[in-house]
Structure formats: C-alpha cells, structure tokens
Amino acid sequence: MKKFSVLMIIALLGAALLTACAPAETVTVIETVIVEKEGETIIETVEKEVEVPSKTLVLDSEMFSPPAEQIFFIDEILKPFEEETGITVTFQIVKGEDMFDRLTAQQATGHVTTDMILAFNGRFAWYTDEGWMGSLDETVNTWDDRSILPAFDGQAVVDGTRYFVPISADVYLTIANNKALDYLPVGADMDNLTYEQYADWAVAIAAGENEGKVCMTGIPMKMWIYQFSSSALAYGLPGAGNPEPAFPNLNAPQTVKAWEQWAKIGAGDGFMPTILSVDNCVDFLMREEAWLSVTHNARVGQVYASNETQFTVGPAPMGDTAIGSIAGAHGLGIVEDSANVEAALLLLEYLTRPEIQLKMNKGTGGFLPVVAEALDYLGDDPTDEIIRKALIVLDNANGSFLPVSDFQDWGAVKQLFDDVFSEMVLNGDGTIDQALLDAKQVALEALRK
Amino acid sequence: MALAINTERRRKIGKQIVPYLLVLPVLFYYIAFWARPVVQQLVQSFTSLEGQFTLNNYIMVFTDLNFLPALRNTSIIVVFSVTLEFFIALLLALLINRKFPGSGIFLFLTMIPMALPAVAVGALWKTGLTTNGWINSLLTYLGILTEGGKIYWLAGSIWKLLALMIIIDAWQVIPSIMIILLAGLQNIPKETEEAGYVFGGNYFTVLRKITLPLLSSTIQTAVILRLIAAIQIWLIVIVIVGFSRMPVLVERIVYYHEEVPRLTISPAMASGYTIIVTIIVSIAALAYLWVSGAFRRKRKEV
C-alpha cells in the first residue's frame, strides 16, 4: 500500500513537472504569402501551412442563448475563424448581470480573463462608465469595405470614442397565421396595419373561432414590456433619452392610447386563454394555438422559416404617428486590460465582414445585420424576407433603445408592465384605470437611479 | 509501575480522542460551508444597508404584498400535497410489498418520476397542459374529449393552478416516499403479521393494529422529509407560471436573489424571506414530531 502511495505521488509530481515544462502549443493555419520566384519577375500569392503559437480568446456573450443559435454561432461562425487564424475562441453564454459581476471581480483582482464581451446595447453604459472597455477607433476607422449602421451609436460611442461595435440588431414585427387572414378587417393590409385594426382583428378572430388567438408573453419579466411599448412608441411616445415622458412609461397620453387598444383585445377575449403561462410565442405560433403576434424579429424568423406558406409577416403596426418599435442591438467590445487584444481585434474584423454578418444574422433566426454592405447579399429565402421587413421597421419606426442602466433593476421595471397587463388588460373591462397607471408610474420613477 | 500506569492511561485517552479527531475534518467542513453562511445570512437579515442593526428587513417582508399570498399558497401546497403523497405512496408500498408477479417492473415504473429533475418535470407537464398538448390529445384519442374539444388546463383561477401544482408535485415525489415506506415494510418481521392472522385478524386489522404501528418511525421520517421539501417548492411553479403570478415562499427568495438582484431592497428581502422560511420549516418539523408523539416516546425510553 505504502509503495503504491509513493508511486502515485511520484507519478503526480512527474505529470505536474512535465505540464509546467511543456513548450507552448502551436497550431497549423493556412497563411497567404507573397512569393517572388527567383530569376523571374512574377510575384504570385500561394497558400502555405505555417505553425503559429496557439492563442485562446475568451468571449463572454449575453446573445445567442437559445441552444440552436448557440450551436450555429459556434459551429458555423466561430469554427471557420479558428481554422483561419489558429485562435481558439472560448465562447460562454452569461446573463447580463452575471457578466457585469464577472468583469467587476476581474477588475477588482487585476486578473482579467475575459477578453471580449458581446453585450446588449442597453447595458453598454455599465462597462463604458467604469472605463473597462478599450477604444476601437483605431481599427474601425481603417475599415473601408464596411460601414456600421449609426442607429446604435448613441450607446456604442461615448464622447466621440467607439467602445462597442454592434453586430446584430432586433426590432418588432407582426406575424399572422394565414388562417387569421380570413378575419382581417376590411381595408387592412399587413404591411400598413394600424393598432386599431390589429385590436379589431384580434377580437374578430376570438368571436369567430370562439377562442382568443393573440400571443404575447404572459409570464412576468419576459417580453411584454417591449411588445407593449412598441405600440406606445407608435402613438408618439418619445424613445429613451428624450425629455419625459419617454420610454419606459406607463401613464402618458400616448401610452394610454396604446393601452386602450390592448384593453380592447382583453375585453374581447382576444388573447389566448392560457396567455399567463406563455414565456415565448414561438411554440404557440408553430402549434397554431396562437395566430397573431407582434414580437421579436428573430422569433418571427424562427416561426416563418418553419413553414413560410403557413404564415404572413409584416412590420410592427402603426399608431397615429408612425410604426413604433423597441430597437435593440448586441455589440462587441474588447476589455482594455485583455492580454489578447490583437486576437480580439481579428475576431471583431471577422464578425463584421459583410458576408459573415449576413450568414451569422440569418443563421440565428433573422436578426438584422448592422453592417450596411451585408444587405447587398440578401436573397429570396424566408429569412431574407424577415430581414427586409425588419429593415423597414428600423428605417421608419419611432424607435427606442432600452435604458437599462438608468434603473436599479430592469427586471423590476418589466414587472410593472406585467402587473398592468394582468390587472387592467386581461382581467379588466376594457376601460383604462388611470389611477392604476399613475400608481405604477410612481413605482417606475422610484426605480430610477 | 507508575510508568506503566501512565502509558496505559495515555493509551486510553488516545483511544477516546481518536473518534473526535476523525470527526474533526467534517466539523471544519460544516463550520466553513454550512454554519458560516447560515450565521452570515442571519446577521444580514438584521443589518441595514448602512450596516446598522435593524428589524426593518423583516417589516419589509411582512408588509410585502406578496408575503401573505406566498404563505397561503405554500401552506395549501404543503397540506394537500403531503397528505395526497403520503396516502398514495403508502398504498403503492403496500401493494408492491405483496410481491405479486410483475411487482418488480411495477416498482421500476413507479420510480421513473423520481429520476427527473424538477425543471424537467415542469417542462414535461407544461408541454402536456397547453391547449394543444399531449394531455388533451390523449383525452381526445381515448374519446373523453370530442374532436376539437379542449380543456384549458393552464387558464383560470389561482386555485386551479394550485391544484395543478399539487398534482404535479405529488407525481414527482410519491416514488421517493413510497421507497422509504417500502423499505420500512420490508423490515417488519413476517412473524408479527402472521401472529395477527393466527389470532383471527383480517388484512385491515393487521394493517391497523400491527403493520402501521411498527411502520410509524419510518412514516415519521418520510413525512418529515417531505414536509420540509414541500415548503421549499418553487422550481415547478416558476417553470409553469413564472415568477410572481403564484407566489410561494422560496420562489420569493429566488425572485429577489436572481430576478431583481440590483434593487436596493433585494438583499434585505432575500435574507428576510430565507430566515422566515427556515423558521417555518423548523416549526413545521417540530410540530409534526410533537403531534406524532416522537417526543413522548423518547421520554418514555428515558
């Protein structure tokens, strides 16, 4: 027994020593080099396999959390990059709050292990305010083959310095099962639908089918705040960052006009009967339990791509001023103290190539590419159709980003909108309870930092 | 001579110390990873944001609009769920203990829900309970529902949802209670039951007068474990209806800790709820032991 223990200890020590003394691992990549042939004047480019030291890049992301998106991003987007550069990308999905906590700990201990983050634009300020992100100007300004849509510069660029490059955007679209088209109000058109028509449509379906068919996320703290606020923006509520009242808001006159439409749907039993247990409309639309929804463009893309002949897609409905939509984006930033800045810049360059932009955003359900040149590659398949509709919304909508960092906790803000939904919209009589809205607005203001 | 006595005494003392030394690593582990966080939580529940002693955290919890509904919902789930689970588990254990042909396979089948984690159970039932889910499909296939007929399982009042939670929780937990009771039944000597029959008892008399009294300590263990677990129910609830729609006590802790962690009140609310749940669990366990006579027997034994 003693002998065995001694042998085990020696083996362990040996293994540790070997690991410590091991030379840095190298990987083989195909590199394009220019070769000048001897005795000739021709210079030709050949591909040659060269060994380069291996590098690992840690990318924390709050995007691509659905498993299908994650698999696509890793296998179809990151893998070719790894083969091209020899850089291994450790891709990790992290919740927004957890990502910030992780970076806080790394900065506090001086042990920075995260090289890049893919964050939601509403949270860019969390990182830029702390001064943790490196400037990307030097690299981005050299790009002459791509231009970043300026819609999200308000959060990505601070005092003239760019800290984030958006790589994907999202807006809200309308999707209808074709069976619902039989009830479409006279004169209504999916591409120019108004919220009044949307509400009448929902009530007509419920009356005709004896069952409500509108889907929104009834489980608290999911997407209802965005689905509802898109309608408030359509009635002229200014986007975040404007003087109050602005998004998020519960009781301004523009918001009340939007509540009236949703209350009409509630009073007409237009919502799915099991609406309070819905956390994502995709499955319900695919199973035909729901026929109608205004929801996130990537989710619409997922449903539409599953059977394009079964669904019709349009931009988010209009209010009395314009289309309204929450417009979000996810962007890449490089942690300033990262030991792998060069590798991170290579990944940034790769992910913003127009063809990669389109491939990535299409492959993950129909997100909107943020590089203008990527749109030149659009074709005719169902996901291209979704991207085109999303572009209409992005170009024409009264939009808003999410001012997450203005509030103590965004989940608590979401909860207030969910409360109004269950108390006034779903269980109300179709009238507006202004006292309830005012009380919730007071609670909302109390959540501001 | 004196030296021999000293050596003998040292050896005796050494022998007495050894068990304590062996327990020491476990003790350190518990102090570091169990006692320390518990004490820390307790201290935090009495500490204000400024670091001063306060009772305000508890006042906030007791005045929270969701506290009473959470307490009510948890109590209903505990009472009905534990009762239902106990009787069904006992019936199944008695049945399987009769060792009829195929009882092994029956035991295996009844054990399956126990192997599933709560989140999978929630997802499985949620898929079934949706309007076009497998439960309505099955009912239609069996002819119980007409073609196109639907039952909206997940729509309706909070009481309907509570009933669903109790059924789903019972479905998952019955096997674990059953297996404890079955182990207890198999430890009862056959002779005692046979003696009951010899003296003219029928199955129910033997069950009431011999089997159940002999099984009482096993029943106590099973019920106490289940009681504690039932008070801590949360995951199935949030998978099916999400946070805040049907508040239960532990769901409130998770809500403040995970869903709204950046609210200034969240740490205070989470720690307040945690201590309250701990106290309720302790009181429930002690009350059950007292009612079931566990303390009386101990006193008699003494």
Side-chain angles (χ1 to χ4, degrees):
Chain A
M1 186 65 190
K2 248 184 191 173
K3 273 183 191 168
F4 178 73
S5 303
V6 171
L7 276 173
M8 283 297 289
I9 290 166
I10 291 170
L12 278 172
L13 285 174
L17 202 66
L18 282 172
T19 311
C21 298
E25 210 180 301
T26 58
V27 289
T28 304
V29 296
I30 296 174
E31 193 180 63
T32 304
V33 292
I34 296 169
V35 179
E36 193 171 351
K37 286 191 176 174
E38 227 175 291
E40 292 177 41
T41 52
I42 306 159
I43 293 175
E44 65 177 27
T45 303
V46 293
E47 282 186 345
K48 179 184 161 190
E49 288 197 352
V50 291
E51 285 202 340
V52 294
S54 71
K55 269 189 185 159
T56 300
L57 191 65
V58 177
L59 169 60
D60 285 356
S61 168
E62 54 177 309
M63 197 189 179
F64 304 131
S65 55
E69 291 179 13
Q70 217 174 113
I71 290 166
F72 180 86
F73 185 67
I74 292 170
D75 290 351
E76 303 294 329
I77 304 295
L78 290 180
K79 216 170 178 184
F81 170 77
E82 290 177 336
E83 282 164 7
E84 184 181 306
T85 60
I87 297 166
T88 305
V89 182
T90 305
F91 178 70
Q92 304 169 25
I93 296 291
V94 191
K95 265 174 73 179
E97 285 81 6
D98 295 345
M99 191 153 87
F100 180 75
D101 290 344
R102 191 181 282 196
L103 256 70
T104 306
Q106 291 179 15
Q107 294 288 334
T109 56
H111 185 62
V112 175
T113 52
T114 300
D115 300 305
M116 281 186 110
I117 59 171
L118 179 49
F120 180 62
N121 69 327
R123 281 187 268 272
F124 286 174
W126 286 7
Y127 304 98
T128 52
D129 287 353
E130 299 288 343
W132 294 340
M133 307 314 293
S135 166
L136 304 174
D137 282 335
E138 211 171 297
T139 304
V140 174
N141 292 342
T142 61
W143 292 342
D144 53 9
D145 60 340
R146 66 199 83 169
S147 43
I148 311 293
L149 294 179
F152 306 100
D153 281 358
Q155 299 86 56
V157 179
V158 181
D159 296 332
T161 305
R162 177 177 289 280
Y163 294 101
F164 282 92
V165 173
I167 59 165
S168 271
D170 44 85
V171 291
Y172 280 70
L173 298 177
T174 309
I175 182 162
N177 188 304
N178 288 342
K179 290 177 184 170
L181 297 177
D182 296 342
Y183 298 95
L184 190 66
V186 178
D189 163 19
M190 278 282 285
D191 282 330
N192 295 291
L193 197 68
T194 66
Y195 271 102
E196 282 83 357
Q197 290 169 335
Y198 183 80
D200 291 341
W201 192 8
V203 174
I205 295 169
E209 295 294 319
N210 219 12
E211 183 179 290
K213 292 286 188 182
V214 170
C215 186
M216 42 70 62
T217 54
I219 281 194
M221 292 183 292
K222 300 289 180 186
M223 291 167 68
W224 167 241
I225 184 176
Y226 312 130
Q227 293 171 311
F228 167 73
S229 295
S230 292
S231 61
L233 290 162
Y235 284 99
L237 180 74
N242 288 297
E244 293 296 317
F247 170 76
N249 173 280
L250 287 134
N251 69 345
Q254 304 94 318
T255 318
V256 170
K257 281 185 188 172
W259 282 125
E260 283 168 356
Q261 300 311 318
W262 292 102
K264 194 199 286 181
I265 299 175
D269 293 328
F271 294 104
M272 293 162 53
T274 56
I275 195 76
L276 291 180
S277 60
V278 174
D279 61 352
N280 184 337
C281 290
V282 170
D283 291 341
F284 295 93
L285 285 161
M286 284 183 180
R287 283 202 301 260
E288 298 196 321
E289 275 183 60
W291 284 4
L292 198 57
S293 187
V294 176
T295 192
H296 188 280
N297 61 296
R299 309 293 158 248
V300 168
Q302 224 177 320
V303 176
Y304 190 63
S306 71
N307 185 354
E308 60 184 293
T309 59
Q310 194 184 349
F311 300 98
T312 304
V313 175
M318 291 183 284
D320 54 11
T321 56
I323 294 173
S325 178
I326 296 296
H330 284 82
L332 279 170
I334 299 175
V335 181
E336 191 159 50
D337 298 331
S338 158
N340 297 306
V341 173
E342 275 180 30
L345 285 170
L346 283 176
L347 182 61
L348 181 70
E349 187 280 324
Y350 170 81
L351 289 176
T352 51
R353 287 178 196 167
E355 69 279 14
I356 299 295
Q357 268 282 295
L358 192 67
K359 183 181 174 189
M360 177 180 76
N361 284 294
K362 276 178 71 172
T364 47
F367 282 96
L368 200 55
V370 190
V371 169
E373 290 73 7
L375 304 171
D376 299 340
Y377 293 87
L378 281 175
D380 294 319
D381 66 34
T383 318
D384 294 321
E385 182 67 15
I386 298 298
I387 291 174
R388 280 201 186 86
K389 301 278 183 190
L391 261 178
I392 294 172
V393 175
L394 192 67
D395 287 345
N396 301 302
N398 176 29
S400 178
F401 71 99
L402 306 185
V404 174
S405 47
D406 292 351
F407 292 87
Q408 288 176 41
D409 192 291
W410 190 248
V413 175
K414 285 178 164 183
Q415 177 86 59
L416 294 170
F417 285 80
D418 294 313
D419 291 346
V420 176
F421 175 76
S422 63
E423 289 172 39
M424 189 182 81
V425 175
L426 195 63
N427 297 315
D429 56 5
T431 57
I432 299 301
D433 183 347
Q434 190 65 43
L436 174 74
L437 296 180
D438 292 344
K440 294 292 179 188
Q441 182 65 27
V442 170
L444 179 82
E445 294 305 327
L447 291 171
R448 280 188 196 277
K449 280 181 183 167
Chain B
M1 183 66 184
L3 190 69
I5 289 169
N6 274 345
T7 314
E8 185 61 26
R9 191 178 293 160
R10 245 183 267 136
R11 197 172 293 155
K12 261 188 184 171
I13 292 169
K15 263 188 183 171
Q16 283 168 346
I17 286 173
V18 166
Y20 294 102
L21 288 176
L22 290 173
V23 168
L24 216 52
V26 179
L27 192 68
F28 281 136
Y29 175 85
Y30 267 88
I31 289 169
F33 297 106
W34 187 83
R36 188 171 159 271
V38 168
V39 172
Q40 217 169 17
Q41 194 67 49
L42 191 65
V43 171
Q44 196 187 337
S45 73
F46 286 105
T47 309
S48 69
L49 278 176
E50 295 76 31
Q52 307 295 316
F53 173 82
T54 183
L55 290 174
N56 203 35
N57 298 345
Y58 288 97
I59 294 170
M60 280 198 307
V61 172
F62 290 130
T63 54
D64 177 18
L65 289 176
N66 280 311
F67 176 71
L68 285 178
L71 189 64
R72 178 201 64 199
N73 294 342
T74 308
S75 308
I76 291 171
I77 290 175
V78 169
V79 170
F80 287 96
S81 178
V82 175
T83 310
L84 184 73
E85 288 158 11
F86 170 69
F87 283 109
I88 296 179
L90 182 64
L91 274 175
L92 287 171
L94 288 169
L95 187 68
I96 292 168
N97 197 41
R98 292 177 76 101
K99 297 195 174 72
F100 57 88
S103 62
I105 292 170
F106 185 65
L107 174 64
F108 169 73
L109 291 175
T110 53
M111 296 286 288
I112 289 173
M114 198 175 91
L116 299 173
V119 69
V121 170
L124 179 78
W125 279 89
K126 191 172 179 177
T127 318
L129 292 166
T130 54
T131 313
N132 292 352
W134 57 264
I135 294 178
N136 278 348
S137 302
L138 182 69
L139 293 176
T140 308
Y141 179 76
L142 295 174
I144 297 166
L145 277 180
T146 54
E147 195 64 43
K150 289 167 188 168
I151 297 175
Y152 300 117
W153 300 100
L154 293 173
S157 68
I158 188 106
W159 307 111
K160 188 175 164 187
L161 289 174
L162 268 171
L164 276 177
M165 296 304 157
I166 289 166
I167 292 168
I168 295 169
D169 183 55
W171 180 82
Q172 190 196 11
V173 167
I174 282 169
S176 56
I177 301 185
M178 183 197 71
I179 206 78
I180 297 172
L181 296 178
L182 188 61
L185 282 172
Q186 288 176 349
N187 279 333
I188 295 174
K190 285 277 165 233
E191 300 77 31
T192 53
E193 288 178 332
E194 280 165 12
Y197 290 117
V198 168
F199 285 103
N202 60 22
Y203 178 77
F204 291 104
T205 319
V206 171
L207 179 68
R208 196 160 52 86
K209 300 271 187 186
I210 296 172
T211 313
L212 289 182
L214 286 174
L215 196 64
S216 64
S217 56
T218 310
I219 291 173
Q220 264 172 22
T221 310
V223 172
I224 209 94
L225 287 174
R226 186 53 213 138
L227 196 68
I228 292 166
I231 295 171
Q232 295 170 349
I233 188 171
W234 69 280
L235 194 49
I236 290 175
V237 175
I238 67 138
V239 170
I240 292 179
V241 291
F243 285 98
S244 304
R245 288 267 188 254
M246 203 187 81
V248 286
L249 288 170
V250 175
E251 173 259 359
R252 290 289 87 196
I253 301 171
V254 183
Y255 173 78
Y256 283 107
H257 193 263
E258 293 291 323
E259 290 299 298
V260 290
R262 290 179 190 278
L263 282 182
T264 42
I265 61 162
S266 288
M269 294 296 275
S271 59
Y273 266 108
T274 304
I275 298 301
I276 288 167
V277 170
T278 310
I279 291 169
I280 290 172
V281 167
S282 309
I283 291 173
L286 285 172
Y288 174 74
L289 288 174
W290 183 68
V291 170
S292 65
F295 297 135
R296 274 200 303 276
R297 267 201 305 282
K298 284 274 180 218
R299 274 202 298 275
K300 272 181 199 167
E301 281 165 19
V302 170

